[in-house]
Amino acid sequence: MVVESLANELLLYLFEFLDGIHLFRTFHNLNSRFNHLLFIHFRAYRFDFRSIFKYEFDIICQYYLPSIFDQIISLTISDDDETPNQSEIFLSYNFTLDKFIHLQSLTLYSIQSFNQLDQLIFQCSQLPVLTYLYMIDGYNIDRKNDIQFLINNIWSLPKLYYFYLNYHSSSKIWLNKISIISLSIEKLFIENITCTLQDLSHLFKYTPSLRYLNTTIHFNFEDEQIPIVTLSSITSLKLTFESSVPVMINLFQMLPNLYSLTLKTMDIYLSGNRWKKILMKYLTKLKIFQLRMYFEFSHYKNIDEQLNKLIDTYRNSFWIEKHQWFIQCDCIPFGTYYHGILYTLPYVFDTFVFYDILKSKYTCPYENHYWSYKRVNCLQYMIYNTNTINYLNSLTIQFPNIQHLKISISFDDKFWSYIPSLHRLTTLEVILGENYTQYQLQTLLNLSPYLYSLKFFYSIDLNMSLEQIMCPSIRCLNFITKFSSNITYFNTIECNTLAYSQLGCQCEVLVIKVENRTNILDLIKTINNLRSLIFQCKDDKWNHKDISSNNDELTKWLHMCLPSTYSIIRDKNDMSIIRIWINKNENNIFLL
C-alpha cells in the first residue's frame, strides 16, 4: 500500500508513533499535503534531541520549532557526550519554554550549567499541563543559593505530578530548602542525592500528596531524636538505606499506610525474627516486601554455622506460609572477612554484581522461576577464581534482559550459562589486563547485535587489538579510563590506527586522550561519521587549578582551526576535558 493513499486520520495516528526528528526527516517537503499535516493538523510532537547531529539540530531549531511550539507534548534536551552544550545552543535561539503551552513531559539530561538549568525550569512555571519532569545525570559543585531557587521553582510547577531527579551533587541541602508547598506531586524519584530523616520530614510537610517515594538515606546522629511526622498518603517506598536500625524504625513510624517496600541496606544485620517484629509492629499494612541486605559476618570462623543459623530465622510460617517472602543469602570472601548479601526472591533490583561466591543458602522451593533475574538490566561480572563457586552449578540462574554489562576479560566459561542472550545489550564496559584474550572480547561482540557503546578500562597496548575488533552496531567509543598506566594518551600512530579501523570508521561519539592537539584535527578529518569528540590533550596548557582563567589557549586554537559552526567548550566539571559537537556538512571547510 502506498503511504499517500492513506486517509489523513490514519496518517496522523501513525505520526504519533514517531519522534518529531524522524517525522521531518521522512515526510517534510514530500508534497504540500504532508507539509499541511505536519504544520497544521498534527498536535502531538515528541522531540528527543539525544544522539542528533548538530547540523540537523540547528535546522530543526531554526526552521521547524518556531512553527510548532504549541504542538509539542514531550521534549528532551541533553548535554551529554553525544550532544555537548546542546542546552546553551537551544537557549541561544531565544526559545522560552512558556511558549510550549501543551508540553506534558520535559527531560533534561546532563545539564552542566546550573544557570541554564535554572532558566529552563523557570520558563516552565506557567505551563498548564506539564506533569512529568526528569532531571537526569546532572552534576554541580555546591551552589546553595542556586539549588534553593531551582528546587522551589520545581515545587511551584502547578500541575507537576511526577518528578525524577538523578543528580550528582556535592550539596546535601536539596530537600531541606523547599519552602513551597506542592499539592500536585505524587511520585518522586531521587537518586545520587543522599538525604537524612530530617530532610524527609521536611519534604513530607511540603509535599502532602506524595504517594510514591524513591530515595537514599545516609546516617545522621540527629535523626534518632527528631519528632515523628507522619505522611499517610505514601503507600509505596523504594529506599537505599545506610543508617541505623533506630533511624529506620523512626522512618517506618512516619509511614503508617505503607503497602509496598523495596529496601536496600548497608551494614545492617537483622535476622528473620527481628525483621518480623519490626514489620508487624510498625508496618501493619505492608503486603509487598523486597529486600537486599548487605552485611559482614561477625567473624571468619564457622561460616557454615553462621549462615545456617541466619537462614533458619527466615523459615518460619510468617515468611514461608503467610507472605511467601522467600530469601537467599550469598556468602562472599573478602580477604580474611566474609560478607553476606541477603535478598528476597525473585530478585527485583535492576543491578547485580557477580562475585566469587563461597556458599549460598535459600528458603524458596527449587523452581526456575526464582532464579530468572528478569529485572536485572545492569550486570557486573567480577568472577576471577573459577574454583570457588559451588552453588551455581546446581541452580540455573539466568539474566535474560541485560542492557549494560561490565566484565573483565578474560572471564570464566560459566558466564555463558547465566546469559541466555545478549540481544538487549547496548552498553559494554571491558576491563583489559594481562590475561586479556581478544577471542573472548570478539565473541562477546559477535553475540551483541545491538551494542551501541563500548568503553575500555585497559592497562595494555590496544594498538593491535583495535585493528582486529569488529562490531557493526557500535557507534560510541570511550577510552578515558581510571586505570593509571603509561599507555594513557593516544599518539599519532595509535590515532591513525583507530581512525582507519572498522570501529573508527563507524564511530560517531569518541571519548579519548591524545598526545598532540593536531591529533584532534586528524581524527575529525578522518572519521567521517564523527559527530561528537570528547578529549583530554597532553599538550594542553590550561591552568586547571585556576578555573577563572581566561587564557584558554587550546580552545582558542581550535576555534581558529575548525569551522565556526562547531561547538567547542571545556567541561564545566572537569576542566581538563574539552567537548566538541561537530557540525559536518558540505559547507564546512577546515581552515588548517
Side-chain angles (χ1 to χ4, degrees):
M1 177 181 291
V2 180
V3 174
E4 292 190 41
S5 67
L6 299 177
N8 286 350
E9 292 78 11
L10 185 54
L11 284 172
L12 291 172
Y13 173 75
L14 293 175
F15 283 2
E16 294 183 12
F17 293 91
L18 296 175
D19 180 84
I21 299 169
H22 296 99
L23 279 175
F24 280 106
R25 280 177 184 166
T26 307
F27 296 105
H28 183 242
N29 274 346
L30 284 182
N31 55 44
S32 59
R33 178 195 176 201
F34 279 107
N35 284 351
H36 201 69
L37 288 174
L38 288 172
F39 288 104
I40 305 298
H41 292 288
F42 188 56
R43 314 297 300 180
Y45 278 104
R46 294 175 172 85
F47 280 97
D48 185 344
F49 287 125
R50 292 173 295 170
S51 303
I52 188 175
F53 285 83
K54 186 178 183 298
Y55 76 87
E56 194 169 28
F57 177 74
D58 290 336
I59 289 172
I60 290 174
C61 289
Q62 290 178 28
Y63 301 108
Y64 300 158
L65 289 190
S67 302
I68 57 172
F69 281 141
D70 61 344
Q71 297 161 248
I72 297 173
I73 64 172
S74 177
L75 178 65
T76 298
I77 300 171
S78 174
D79 282 347
D80 70 4
D81 288 345
E82 304 217 10
T83 53
N85 206 35
Q86 186 182 88
S87 63
E88 182 176 334
I89 297 170
F90 179 85
L91 289 168
S92 72
Y93 286 104
N94 295 319
F95 296 141
T96 55
L97 291 181
D98 57 340
K99 296 178 182 178
F100 294 63
I101 58 174
H102 290 114
L103 190 66
Q104 300 172 18
S105 175
L106 174 64
T107 303
L108 303 173
Y109 270 94
S110 301
I111 307 299
Q112 292 199 343
S113 167
F114 228 92
N115 180 51
Q116 288 153 20
L117 194 61
D118 280 340
Q119 287 187 59
L120 292 167
I121 296 299
F122 182 73
Q123 292 170 8
C124 295
S125 59
Q126 301 302 318
L127 293 181
V129 293
L130 182 65
T131 52
Y132 293 85
L133 175 62
Y134 304 80
M135 289 167 46
I136 301 173
D137 286 340
Y139 181 90
N140 82 290
I141 301 173
D142 195 348
R143 298 177 62 177
K144 296 182 180 180
N145 293 334
D146 290 336
I147 291 175
Q148 182 172 7
F149 180 77
L150 174 67
I151 201 75
N152 279 319
N153 278 335
I154 293 171
W155 254 247
S156 299
L157 296 174
K159 297 295 183 181
L160 188 63
Y161 164 80
Y162 181 110
F163 179 38
Y164 183 98
L165 176 64
N166 181 342
Y167 217 82
H168 303 273
S169 174
S170 58
S171 177
K172 298 181 179 180
I173 63 158
W174 283 79
L175 299 183
N176 63 28
K177 288 299 180 181
I178 301 172
S179 59
I180 302 293
I181 294 176
S182 171
L183 298 176
S184 61
I185 297 177
E186 296 188 18
K187 293 190 175 184
L188 179 59
F189 295 73
I190 305 172
E191 296 186 9
N192 291 315
I193 296 177
T194 60
C195 64
T196 67
L197 209 57
Q198 288 181 318
D199 295 330
L200 285 188
S201 180
H202 184 85
L203 170 70
F204 293 166
K205 292 179 183 179
Y206 290 91
T207 325
S209 301
L210 195 61
R211 294 192 299 110
Y212 180 97
L213 176 63
N214 180 342
T215 190
T216 298
I217 290 182
H218 273 203
F219 184 76
N220 180 5
F221 287 106
E222 297 179 3
D223 281 344
E224 298 187 16
Q225 288 81 36
I226 70 166
I228 302 300
V229 177
T230 61
L231 187 63
S232 58
S233 63
I234 291 186
T235 58
S236 182
L237 174 66
K238 187 173 183 180
L239 178 66
T240 300
F241 188 81
E242 300 181 21
S243 187
S244 64
V245 173
V247 171
M248 184 172 66
I249 290 175
N250 281 347
L251 174 62
F252 291 165
Q253 289 179 277
M254 295 181 177
L255 308 171
N257 292 321
L258 200 63
Y259 177 87
S260 174
L261 173 61
T262 301
L263 179 64
K264 292 190 292 185
T265 68
M266 293 291 293
D267 299 324
I268 284 181
Y269 178 94
L270 288 176
S271 68
N273 296 330
R274 180 72 172 127
W275 269 119
K276 173 184 174 181
K277 291 179 181 179
I278 292 173
L279 298 178
M280 291 183 67
K281 183 174 181 179
Y282 300 106
L283 298 179
T284 58
K285 297 184 179 180
L286 193 69
K287 299 298 180 184
I288 300 173
F289 181 50
Q290 298 163 333
L291 173 68
R292 193 179 78 181
M293 185 172 70
Y294 189 95
F295 61 93
E296 185 177 306
F297 284 100
S298 58
H299 50 83
Y300 64 90
K301 295 181 179 179
N302 302 319
I303 291 299
D304 282 331
E305 182 180 339
Q306 292 185 67
L307 185 57
N308 289 331
K309 185 176 180 180
L310 175 62
I311 290 295
D312 286 343
T313 65
Y314 290 88
R315 293 189 188 276
N316 55 54
S317 60
F318 172 84
W319 291 94
I320 303 298
E321 298 170 11
K322 182 178 180 180
H323 294 289
Q324 294 188 340
W325 291 337
F326 303 114
I327 63 97
Q328 176 167 318
C329 185
D330 299 333
C331 177
I332 303 164
F334 282 95
T336 58
Y337 297 93
Y338 290 94
H339 291 199
I341 303 178
L342 184 146
Y343 48 88
T344 50
L345 292 173
Y347 188 86
V348 300
F349 302 92
D350 59 3
T351 61
F352 192 92
V353 181
F354 242 126
Y355 294 105
D356 290 328
I357 299 174
L358 180 66
K359 299 178 182 299
S360 184
K361 297 285 185 179
Y362 51 88
T363 63
C364 65
Y366 188 89
E367 296 180 11
N368 288 344
H369 164 71
Y370 294 104
W371 286 284
S372 181
Y373 292 42
K374 296 180 180 179
R375 301 279 189 92
V376 176
N377 58 52
C378 182
L379 177 67
Q380 290 188 49
Y381 195 78
M382 300 288 106
I383 293 179
Y384 307 98
N385 186 349
T386 60
N387 297 321
T388 58
I389 305 174
N390 54 30
Y391 85 97
L392 292 180
N393 293 328
S394 61
L395 301 181
T396 55
I397 288 181
Q398 298 277 289
F399 297 89
N401 296 315
I402 298 302
Q403 299 174 30
H404 312 281
L405 173 64
K406 184 173 183 178
I407 190 168
S408 178
I409 298 178
S410 62
F411 51 87
D412 66 309
D413 290 337
K414 294 188 180 72
F415 168 79
W416 302 111
S417 66
Y418 312 135
I419 310 294
S421 170
L422 289 172
H423 278 229
R424 294 179 181 269
L425 188 67
T426 59
T427 303
L428 175 62
E429 299 183 26
V430 292
I431 302 172
L432 309 181
E434 294 180 358
N435 297 322
Y436 160 64
T437 61
Q438 185 170 320
Y439 171 77
Q440 278 196 330
L441 175 57
Q442 189 60 57
T443 301
L444 270 177
L445 300 179
N446 292 342
L447 296 173
S448 308
Y450 302 107
L451 184 63
Y452 178 80
S453 175
L454 178 59
K455 182 172 184 177
F456 293 92
F457 295 82
Y458 62 98
S459 58
I460 60 172
D461 187 350
L462 284 178
N463 207 30
M464 183 65 69
S465 296
L466 291 176
E467 292 183 294
Q468 300 173 356
I469 296 173
M470 296 184 181
C471 182
S473 62
I474 290 176
R475 294 294 178 268
C476 179
L477 295 174
N478 190 331
F479 295 97
I480 292 186
T481 97
K482 296 180 181 179
F483 278 16
S484 59
S485 168
N486 293 328
I487 311 169
T488 301
Y489 293 90
F490 276 56
N491 59 33
T492 300
I493 294 175
E494 291 165 338
C495 285
N496 288 335
T497 299
L498 171 63
Y500 288 103
S501 68
Q502 187 201 62
L503 287 181
C505 290
Q506 65 199 38
C507 181
E508 296 181 6
V509 180
L510 179 59
V511 184
I512 193 171
K513 293 183 178 182
V514 297
E515 285 191 350
N516 193 289
R517 62 187 63 192
T518 58
N519 300 143
I520 299 304
L521 302 184
D522 292 338
L523 288 169
I524 293 175
K525 289 178 182 178
T526 309
I527 304 179
N528 292 327
N529 293 312
L530 199 62
R531 55 184 166 84
S532 176
L533 179 60
I534 316 297
F535 68 91
Q536 290 178 324
C537 187
K538 194 172 184 179
D539 71 352
D540 187 0
K541 298 179 177 61
W542 173 262
N543 183 359
H544 302 148
K545 296 180 181 179
D546 182 11
I547 62 174
S548 63
S549 172
N550 292 319
N551 186 26
D552 192 348
E553 183 266 340
L554 180 54
T555 61
K556 290 179 180 178
W557 182 84
L558 289 168
H559 278 293
M560 288 190 299
C561 297
L562 296 172
S564 60
T565 53
Y566 284 32
S567 171
I568 305 169
I569 61 168
R570 283 198 181 268
D571 190 298
K572 293 180 175 63
N573 300 304
D574 186 346
M575 302 301 286
S576 68
I577 293 177
I578 294 178
R579 296 152 59 85
I580 303 179
W581 194 9
I582 296 167
N583 191 341
K584 276 190 178 180
N585 59 49
E586 63 275 10
N587 296 320
N588 285 159
I589 302 174
F590 281 86
L591 302 182
L592 187 71

